[in-house]
Amino acid sequence: MSAFTDGKTARAGVRGGSAWIPTVILILGALYCLLPLYWLVAAASKLPGELFTLPSFLPGFSGGLWENIASLTNYRSGRYWLWTWNSLIYAGGGAALSTMVSAMAGYGLAKYNFAGRGLVFGFLLGAVLIPGVVLAVPQYLLMSKLGLASTYWSVLIPSIVSPLGIYLCRVYAAAVIPDELLEAGRIDGASEVRIFFSIGLAPMIPGLITVFLLQFVGIWNNFLLPFIMLADERLFPLTVGLYTMVNQGTEQPGVYTLIITGALVSILPLIALFLLLQRYWRLDLISGSVKG
Amino acid sequence: MSGPFYRMLACAGTAALFLSGAATAQERVELTYWNWAPHIDEVVAIWNEANPDIHVTVSRAAGAAEIVQKLSAAHTAGNPPDVTNVTYQDLPALVVNGLVADITPEMASLKDQIAPVAWDLVTFGDTTWATPQGTSPMMFFYRKDILTDLGIEAPATWEEFEAAAKAVRAADPGKYLAHFPSSDPGLFAALTHQVGAQWWRLDGDQWTVGINTPAAKEVAAYWERLVAEDAVSTMQTWSPEWGAAMADGSLLGFISAVWAPPLIANLAPDTQGKWGVVPLPRWSQGTGAELSGGVMGGSATAVSSLTKHPEEAKEFAIWITNNLDALSAYVRLMNIWPAQLSARDLPQLKEAPTFLPDATDFYTMAAEIDVDTPSVSWGPNVSAAFDVYRNAMGEAVQNKSGFAGVLDQVQQTVFGDMSNQGYSVVEAQ
Amino acid sequence: MRRKRYHPVPPITPWLFVGPAVALSLFTILAPFVYSIMLSLRGIRVSGGGLGRREEVFVGLANYWTALTNAELWAGFGRMLTVGIITVPLILGFALLFALMLDVPRVRFARFSRIAIFVPYAVPGVIASLMWGFIYLPGVSPIREIAANLGLPQPDFFTRDSVYWSISNIVIWGGVGFNMVILFTALRGIPADLYDAARIDGCNEWQIARHIKLPLLLPAIVLTGLFSLIGMIQLFSEPTTLEPLSNAVSTTWVPMMLVYRDTFVAQSLHAGAATSILIAVLTTFASVVLFWITRRRSQGGRT
């Protein structure tokens, strides 16, 4: 059952009309979440001169949105789109590597009983408790020592280990991979690595997609790590790029509409990703109610 | 790879000024240059056009606020920019961290051509660490159209400024004459320079810290009164709130320096021609009545201590702050008031800035203000001082009291920090 | 678990799988942590006259003493806790409320609401704070504009007290959806025949929620609560983004901002390292205590 399976169909057949009070509560919640975003859309559709003069919740009708996107594209010869591309590299590459490492570790922890297993698992769980901010500075210094600071790797490498991802993979692997299948593989004489790739991995895929998405969002939204690691604006992801735009201003008039449009455009890829992949969100993993 | 031969010949005139046997490289030298200023690419393009064998790429890796942090980071990582812009107040921090190269020999011949106020900001003891770009004659910009409607004159003294601020409030409660931003320690430091405060001073090896002088505390008390009586707004400069107020005519003035017009133009393009300008108001009596203002912002160009092309980097740094073509573009695009004295005769500096077409005496005014600006120097822990100021002044503005105490806090922090680090330092009294 | 071994798994094999994760976490988590501890024992002293040159020297526990006696650090913890006390119960409360409402039979627009409430999760903290910053700021605030049009008093989002709510609101806005989905998914995992049995016994929907759903959800609530707490310790982007906009947020508003200030703005890496170790120790200790308390309680609550 996916996280987004519709409640109505699953619980159909209960007597009575529509449940209005819960509906109203949910609509209010939805409005609270969407209104600020609607304001962002309305503001992004205004020309720089209209931003502070038109009523806030009315969109501009003078083609402001296209003009703003054009200025965004022109901003330092397309730097904004370079940042978007970087964000995709960090989030996509980081999440892919992270999912792979988590899948292997989760599988190893779930399917083998070995000396040091408890220690490894305890260490990884303990790591959840150390705030990322505490680690970011010494991580930066170590990267500097290795000559990796201000490279793609300086952001990618620290994003790979995800204690939560490993935990989820362990839970999921334990639930969905039958030991009998692995034993059958062993009888056939397959190597352990081969068994993992040919037998273990396939049933884990729905869980891995969730881990991938969680990591993707986490890295996409991360600000502090790239902010500290990167000294070259051509390597910035969107969050850091937009932040510097706010702090440095630009030579173009209407910097506020530019920032607002930039903010709006920057959140569209993630929303699209959510809507496209919502079937694959298996957040039941997190609450521990996994059923194969 | 070198450019076509004829172009090398064409640019030889410009290059020969500074080339001292450095141009042995047949390969094109690549330099990176950090600068956050708007339009800087256009100035650098002039260099690239004239110097095909030394190509400079602008990077905006850090704003003025983060330059020390980002430069140290890049330095530690071993890939700092070859040349960087740096605000005067951050230069000492770069020096003590060993990030910038000593350019004393290259600068020696230029000393007579550079405004003393600017020279003192880049020279500590006998060593020059950067080449200054401009000075910051302080001015008060105001909405001439609206003040005329309200029948209020532009203030020449701080007493008149207070009266005008209150008159604006009385005439229209939706408007303010000016704002007092707690997040701008550079502005407040400059306002205290005007009464003779020397936040840092270096005599030989001896530092003197003088932030909470009695005269500076009187300036603090003046602004506390204006804030407490709601005569000035307390919005923060560069916040969207401020931008909107500058554009919609609810904020009628801006205490700033010579480089402000293009910034106002970016925020409020529709108000072109509606602004007037006067020198920063003066104190009519007491300490500092003879001073026109202080050192507010301004920047210099420094060369990295790690650059692989020190000769070319120094050449470019000196070019961009002293060459007349570069400064002419700078003036046109960014309204700077050059530190290089010969550039002050540029034809653009005889005209009004584009955004203030009526201010035909703009640069004459700048020259006069510059004469009465005191020489100051910044110290090695400016950013710590400014950070304490932001937090303490933010709180004082919320409380509408305790402004003078802010200066005590900054003084204690700066003095304590410098003693701890092992500087030979005393407090001014 | 009984496992018949036809040919025994060599002891090195499990490490093939957990090896990359272990190696990487040693490099990106343990090593930086140890390095921080080393840094925290050192300091900068200046030698040479004038501007001088900075040199690193061993200073023992001096940095820790400075950090422990820094009133700003404790004030920062106080502000962090205040935001936590506001946000954690509200995030969990709203997430639970919305999850339970989604689970009510015959609710309308459930799919739309579920997605709408989840959407802020896709907005990075920095971007959300920028957006809310505009919405709060006098002069550009749509809320103040509406209040003015209706003749209502205009709210000030940046007084020393209201700023706690302004920052908490950004955190809540971004956090409710994710937790709601976790709780809702957990709810969907409860077998439907439990409800049918309850209905046959004459329970109404409220009683079902109170006596069946809530107790069964407890482990998931504890887990989301822990996530929210960890999020609170990491509070950084929101106040950092709002700081330049108002007088109400200082550059040392929460402990992590103090670490950032010390390390990068004040150029004293070693003081920053000591403060961050102190924060890590305190928060790890607090998290472990909380974890044990909640675990024991939730296990005690389980039938």
Side-chain angles (χ1 to χ4, degrees):
Chain A
M1 195 186 305
S2 126
F4 282 86
T5 307
D6 201 290
K8 268 194 303 187
T9 50
R11 293 286 150 90
V14 180
R15 70 205 135 79
S18 299
W20 285 113
I21 295 175
T23 303
V24 169
I25 291 176
L26 285 173
I27 296 284
L28 285 177
L31 283 180
Y32 165 67
C33 290
L34 289 185
L35 267 184
L37 292 172
Y38 169 72
W39 174 84
L40 199 63
V41 174
S45 72
K46 289 170 185 162
L47 291 168
E50 298 172 332
L51 183 60
F52 299 128
T53 48
L54 284 184
S56 303
F57 281 108
L58 278 186
F61 291 107
S62 339
L65 184 60
W66 298 122
E67 184 144 320
N68 292 334
I69 290 179
S71 330
L72 200 61
T73 302
N74 290 333
Y75 173 71
R76 293 186 46 73
S77 38
R79 193 118 303 175
Y80 181 85
W81 301 112
L82 185 61
W83 295 336
T84 311
W85 171 244
N86 290 339
S87 272
L88 284 171
I89 290 181
Y90 293 129
L97 288 169
S98 175
T99 309
M100 199 58 228
V101 169
S102 301
M104 287 167 62
Y107 172 84
L109 289 167
K111 291 297 166 189
Y112 294 99
N113 204 350
F114 60 99
R117 182 171 78 157
L119 187 72
V120 168
F121 194 58
F123 171 67
L124 290 173
L125 275 194
V128 179
L129 299 175
I130 303 179
V133 195
V134 170
L135 294 176
V137 173
Q139 277 174 349
Y140 163 73
L141 294 168
L142 285 179
M143 289 288 175
S144 297
K145 291 247 151 90
L146 294 177
L148 289 174
S150 207
T151 63
Y152 279 116
W153 292 110
S154 65
V155 175
L156 279 172
I157 293 174
S159 308
I160 295 176
V161 174
S162 157
L164 178 65
I166 295 171
Y167 170 77
L168 295 180
C169 284
R170 180 196 160 143
V171 171
Y172 203 73
V176 300
I177 308 175
D179 285 326
E180 294 72 25
L181 269 183
L182 302 181
E183 290 301 326
R186 289 189 181 107
I187 295 169
D188 290 349
S191 72
E192 294 294 321
V193 174
R194 220 194 120 129
I195 289 173
F196 168 66
F197 282 104
S198 61
I199 303 174
L201 211 50
M204 286 177 73
I205 284 174
L208 295 185
I209 293 178
T210 304
V211 170
F212 177 86
L213 288 174
L214 280 171
Q215 273 303 94
F216 190 95
V217 175
I219 301 170
W220 183 276
N221 290 358
N222 200 348
F223 167 70
L224 192 74
L225 181 75
F227 184 60
I228 288 178
M229 287 288 178
L230 302 173
D232 183 342
E233 58 166 347
R234 286 165 299 182
L235 299 179
F236 285 175
L238 274 173
T239 44
V240 180
L242 273 171
Y243 179 84
T244 52
M245 249 167 104
V246 176
N247 275 18
Q248 297 171 35
T250 76
E251 57 257 52
Q252 279 143 321
V255 53
Y256 299 127
T257 42
L258 210 59
I259 292 164
I260 286 170
T261 311
L264 177 66
V265 176
S266 79
I267 60 183
L268 293 180
L270 269 198
I271 293 180
L273 193 72
F274 278 175
L275 295 181
L276 281 176
L277 294 181
Q278 50 165 299
R279 293 197 309 120
Y280 298 104
W281 276 98
R282 295 290 310 254
L283 290 174
D284 46 343
L285 279 177
I286 295 177
S287 51
S289 46
V290 183
K291 286 176 297 189
Chain B
M1 284 267 292
S2 63
F5 186 61
Y6 69 89
R7 280 184 63 190
M8 286 184 67
L9 271 182
C11 73
T14 325
L17 266 172
F18 299 106
L19 283 182
S20 44
T24 48
Q26 283 300 301
E27 268 181 43
R28 189 167 93 153
V29 171
E30 289 285 347
L31 298 177
T32 31
Y33 174 44
W34 280 10
N35 191 324
W36 57 87
H39 300 294
I40 187 65
D41 308 74
E42 294 161 60
V43 183
V44 171
I46 302 173
W47 164 275
N48 284 334
E49 180 77 13
N51 298 275
D53 51 344
I54 306 175
H55 183 259
V56 177
T57 311
V58 176
S59 174
R60 230 173 264 231
E66 296 129 22
I67 194 83
V68 179
Q69 161 204 337
K70 289 290 182 187
L71 272 177
S72 327
H75 189 91
T76 323
N79 53 3
D82 301 281
V83 183
T84 184
N85 203 44
V86 56
T87 54
Y88 290 126
Q89 69 249 27
D90 286 328
L91 180 62
L94 298 189
V95 175
V96 295
N97 284 301
L99 305 186
V100 296
D102 178 350
I103 56 168
T104 313
E106 289 79 6
M107 290 295 286
S109 62
L110 289 168
K111 183 175 181 182
D112 299 338
Q113 304 168 37
I114 288 174
V117 179
W119 182 264
D120 290 347
L121 287 163
V122 295
T123 306
F124 295 85
D126 297 322
T127 316
T128 305
W129 296 100
T131 159
Q133 181 198 61
T135 66
S136 54
M138 290 183 72
M139 299 171 170
F140 179 61
F141 299 85
Y142 62 96
R143 282 292 291 273
K144 201 171 41 180
D145 53 336
I146 301 178
L147 280 192
T148 310
D149 285 348
L150 298 176
I152 297 167
E153 296 252 338
T157 66
W158 286 111
E159 292 80 359
E160 287 175 25
F161 182 88
E162 181 172 2
K166 289 176 178 167
V168 168
R169 298 296 293 149
D172 184 345
K175 295 191 193 310
Y176 285 99
L177 178 67
H179 72 296
F180 180 77
S182 70
S183 63
D184 194 351
L187 169 66
F188 195 81
L191 292 174
T192 64
H193 295 158
Q194 197 186 15
V195 294
Q198 300 266 351
W199 287 36
W200 286 266
R201 203 176 72 233
L202 178 63
D203 306 297
D205 286 342
Q206 175 72 48
W207 286 91
T208 308
V209 176
I211 295 161
N212 58 349
T213 63
K217 284 186 170 180
E218 278 178 42
V219 175
Y222 172 87
W223 286 101
E224 177 175 318
R225 187 168 71 242
L226 262 59
V227 167
E229 293 177 12
D230 194 32
V232 292
S233 162
T234 57
M235 61 180 74
Q236 307 287 34
T237 317
W238 310 121
S239 73
E241 177 187 14
W242 176 73
M246 290 288 275
D248 69 14
S250 55
L251 187 61
L252 306 183
F254 182 29
I255 299 173
S256 189
V258 65
W259 32 258
L263 303 175
I264 307 177
N266 269 357
L267 289 166
D270 302 337
T271 60
Q272 173 154 0
K274 295 179 178 169
W275 292 79
V277 57
V278 288
L280 184 75
R282 292 196 185 204
W283 295 100
S284 57
Q285 54 191 4
T287 321
E290 76 286 0
L291 298 177
S292 62
V295 170
M296 181 185 175
S299 59
T301 302
V303 172
S304 165
S305 54
L306 289 187
T307 176
K308 292 184 184 69
H309 308 288
E311 299 307 324
E312 291 84 354
K314 286 170 188 175
E315 184 192 334
F316 172 73
I318 290 173
W319 178 87
I320 200 151
T321 45
N322 292 279
N323 177 277
L324 291 187
D325 293 337
L327 290 172
S328 165
Y330 247 120
V331 169
R332 179 167 48 82
L333 297 163
M334 288 170 260
N335 274 83
I336 65 155
W337 180 239
Q340 166 61 247
L341 295 171
S342 64
R344 294 186 176 181
D345 294 325
L346 283 169
Q348 292 105 312
L349 294 179
K350 306 291 173 203
E351 299 160 11
T354 328
F355 189 67
L356 300 168
D358 299 340
T360 45
D361 60 341
F362 189 74
Y363 292 104
T364 328
M365 191 191 290
E368 284 163 9
I369 297 169
D370 222 26
V371 172
D372 290 343
T373 302
S375 250
V376 299
S377 104
W378 298 109
N381 55 352
V382 175
S383 50
F386 279 15
D387 186 75
V388 173
Y389 173 92
R390 282 167 83 105
N391 293 340
M393 191 52 96
E395 184 153 1
V397 166
Q398 289 255 330
N399 296 336
K400 301 192 192 307
S401 73
F403 282 35
V406 172
L407 294 180
D408 290 331
Q409 275 192 51
V410 180
Q411 170 87 12
Q412 280 159 21
T413 306
V414 170
F415 178 72
D417 183 39
M418 287 182 75
S419 318
N420 277 344
Q421 289 197 26
Y423 284 103
S424 161
V425 57
V426 293
E427 294 189 80
Q429 264 325 318
Chain C
M1 204 180 293
R2 199 173 53 87
R3 183 177 289 166
K4 261 197 268 176
R5 289 228 171 83
Y6 292 86
H7 52 103
V9 176
I12 189 75
T13 308
W15 293 98
L16 282 180
F17 295 105
V18 298
V22 169
L24 278 165
S25 42
L26 287 179
F27 176 63
T28 58
I29 298 171
L30 195 65
F33 197 72
V34 172
Y35 191 47
S36 271
I37 295 175
M38 283 160 56
L39 279 175
S40 69
L41 301 174
R42 304 178 70 81
I44 289 291
R45 295 295 175 265
V46 170
S47 63
L51 277 174
R53 275 301 169 98
R54 288 155 62 106
E55 276 176 330
E56 227 186 51
V57 293
F58 182 81
V59 297
L61 294 175
N63 291 323
Y64 286 95
W65 179 246
T66 315
L68 279 168
T69 52
N70 181 358
E72 209 29 48
L73 176 66
W74 301 107
F77 270 116
R79 288 185 283 255
M80 182 184 93
L81 281 176
T82 311
V83 172
I85 288 167
I86 298 172
T87 55
V88 175
L90 282 175
I91 288 181
L92 290 189
F94 278 120
L96 184 62
L97 174 73
F98 293 142
L100 287 171
M101 295 298 110
L102 281 174
D103 201 43
V104 170
R106 295 186 176 278
V107 66
R108 292 293 168 105
F109 306 113
R111 191 184 156 77
F112 163 77
S113 306
R114 194 174 57 225
I115 293 172
I117 296 171
F118 191 56
V119 155
Y121 176 59
V123 182
V126 177
I127 310 281
S129 307
L130 273 177
M131 181 182 76
W132 281 104
F134 272 89
I135 296 176
Y136 292 152
L137 260 190
V140 295
S141 164
I143 299 178
R144 287 172 63 97
E145 177 190 296
I146 290 169
N149 288 342
L150 296 176
L152 296 170
Q154 300 195 353
D156 186 343
F157 295 99
F158 286 127
T159 67
R160 209 178 336 163
D161 299 325
S162 66
V163 75
Y164 287 101
W165 295 96
S166 304
I167 288 176
S168 298
N169 175 53
I170 303 177
V171 177
I172 294 167
W173 184 78
V176 166
F178 182 70
N179 291 296
M180 173 195 77
V181 170
I182 293 179
L183 293 177
F184 177 63
T185 326
L187 269 178
R188 307 299 299 156
I190 299 173
D193 38 350
L194 268 181
Y195 305 145
D196 295 338
R199 287 197 188 93
I200 291 165
D201 291 345
C203 290
N204 60 27
E205 289 301 324
W206 162 250
Q207 286 166 325
I208 292 176
R210 170 75 187 75
H211 295 292
I212 299 179
K213 293 180 179 174
L214 218 48
L216 287 173
L217 269 186
L218 207 59
I221 295 174
V222 167
L223 204 85
T224 49
L226 266 179
F227 281 133
S228 306
L229 278 172
I230 292 170
M232 180 195 79
I233 295 161
Q234 313 226 13
L235 187 63
F236 177 81
S237 313
E238 291 83 1
T240 302
T241 315
L242 294 185
E243 189 269 327
L245 301 182
S246 79
N247 296 309
V249 182
S250 65
T251 56
T252 52
W253 206 74
V254 285
M256 283 333 308
M257 289 175 75
L258 182 70
V259 171
Y260 183 84
R261 196 278 308 259
D262 280 351
T263 311
F264 291 111
V265 180
Q267 289 287 297
S268 89
L269 187 62
H270 310 89
T275 313
S276 60
I277 294 294
L278 212 57
I279 294 171
V281 169
L282 284 174
T283 52
T284 309
F285 181 73
S287 309
V288 169
V289 169
L290 269 170
F291 187 70
W292 281 113
I293 293 173
T294 47
R295 220 173 95 134
R296 288 184 61 182
R297 287 198 57 183
S298 69
Q299 279 177 344
R302 221 177 257 162
T303 43

